[in-house]
Amino acid sequence: QVQLVGSGGGLVQAGGSLRLSCAATGSIFSINNMGWYRQTSGKQRELVADITSGDSTNYADSVKGRFTISRDKAKNTVYLQMNNLKPQDTAVYYCKAVMTTSSSYGTYWGPGTQVTVSS
């Protein structure tokens, strides 16, 4: 069974840092794009950052210069280093991966991890 397993959320004060990680496990042939999205209550899920198989990155304007996305292809893992966190970064963060597995091709989502930034 293919799944995304995330970790690294938590509570931090404004100005602090957190690092999220998300590993794809199971019978995976290849992974194309990986990314991080976030969602707050009553709002649509929004892109935070994504990274292609060629390591090209894309960031939401609100996190540019503060967040860094990276991936370890050997470990099928994507990371999100979040620095200088602000209260408005508080959300549930979801990782996403577009993968070819032994049974299908498609988009997979992790279960979400809560990030809370206190002022």
Side-chain angles (χ1 to χ4, degrees):
Q1 181 181 357
V2 175
Q3 59 181 343
L4 296 176
V5 180
S7 64
L11 173 64
V12 65
Q13 287 189 329
S17 298
L18 284 174
R19 188 190 194 211
L20 306 182
S21 64
C22 178
T25 64
S27 183
I28 298 166
F29 289 164
S30 64
I31 302 178
N32 296 334
N33 286 19
M34 301 187 82
W36 291 95
Y37 289 69
R38 65 187 181 188
Q39 188 171 22
T40 55
S41 180
K43 293 188 177 181
Q44 282 192 322
R45 194 171 295 185
E46 63 175 9
L47 172 70
V48 176
D50 62 16
I51 184 167
T52 69
S53 57
D55 293 332
S56 293
T57 58
N58 178 47
Y59 295 92
D61 287 343
S62 60
V63 306
K64 283 180 180 176
R66 300 188 298 122
F67 291 11
T68 302
I69 189 170
S70 61
R71 65 191 286 180
D72 184 332
K73 293 176 183 176
K75 296 181 179 180
N76 289 337
T77 299
V78 62
Y79 305 96
L80 186 68
Q81 178 66 43
M82 304 184 292
N83 298 329
N84 190 21
L85 282 159
K86 304 176 180 180
Q88 51 263 46
D89 294 318
T90 295
V92 178
Y93 284 70
Y94 297 89
C95 64
K96 187 187 90 168
V98 179
M99 300 189 286
T100 301
T101 72
S102 60
S103 60
S104 67
Y105 169 83
T107 299
Y108 292 78
W109 290 91
T113 185
Q114 177 70 46
V115 171
T116 302
V117 184
S118 63
S119 57

